Amino acid sequence: MKSLAELKAIKEKMKDKVVLREGTAQIRVVVGMATCGIAAGARPVLSTLVDLVNQNGLSEKVTVSQTGCIGLCQYEPIVEVFEAGKEKVTYVKVDADKAKRIVEEHLKGGKVVADCTIPAENA
């Protein structure tokens, strides 16, 4: 880095790639990023969710963040969706394709992607 202007340019370029942690978004999406989640592939899932939320113009409505251990290592990567007045939805064994479905069907369409959630007998 050679100047403050260069730093500001980098900040602007990366702004949409940064995981948002604050705000008053109606929907909060949390990706488990403990060692087990990362080993299972959580990094690309997090990146996909952030990119798709931004690409679909959902950043005013949806906040994406990361957390540590969720406690269900056998189901990693795990994505939890929190909406005010609704039960938390836990998506399991999420990959980039499932992340796309979560954005399209749940975050945009308002419908839980039931076949990607934790099986009821194991909840």
Side-chain angles (χ1 to χ4, degrees), residues 49-110:
L49 288 167
V50 169
D51 290 345
L52 290 173
V53 164
N54 287 323
Q55 288 171 14
N56 285 281
L58 298 172
S59 58
E60 295 295 318
K61 174 182 167 184
V62 179
T63 300
V64 180
S65 63
Q66 62 187 39
T67 191
C69 183
I70 295 175
L72 299 167
C73 299
Q74 70 270 28
Y75 293 112
E76 292 287 357
I78 296 174
V79 174
E80 294 182 322
V81 178
F82 297 88
E83 292 182 75
K86 296 184 179 180
E87 282 192 42
K88 169 184 73 172
V89 177
T90 303
Y91 291 107
V92 297
K93 298 188 179 190
V94 179
D95 57 18
D97 290 333
K98 285 184 180 180
K100 290 174 188 170
R101 289 187 61 204
I102 291 167
V103 171
E104 196 61 37
E105 296 174 35
H106 189 156
L107 303 181
K108 283 178 70 178

Side-chain angles (χ1 to χ4, degrees), residues 7-26:
L7 181 61
K8 286 180 181 178
I10 293 169
K11 177 183 174 187
E12 282 303 309
K13 180 181 173 187
M14 298 305 293
K15 187 168 57 174
D16 289 341
K17 298 289 183 188
V18 173
V19 178
L20 305 173
R21 293 186 178 168
E22 297 177 8
T24 56
Q26 302 163 1

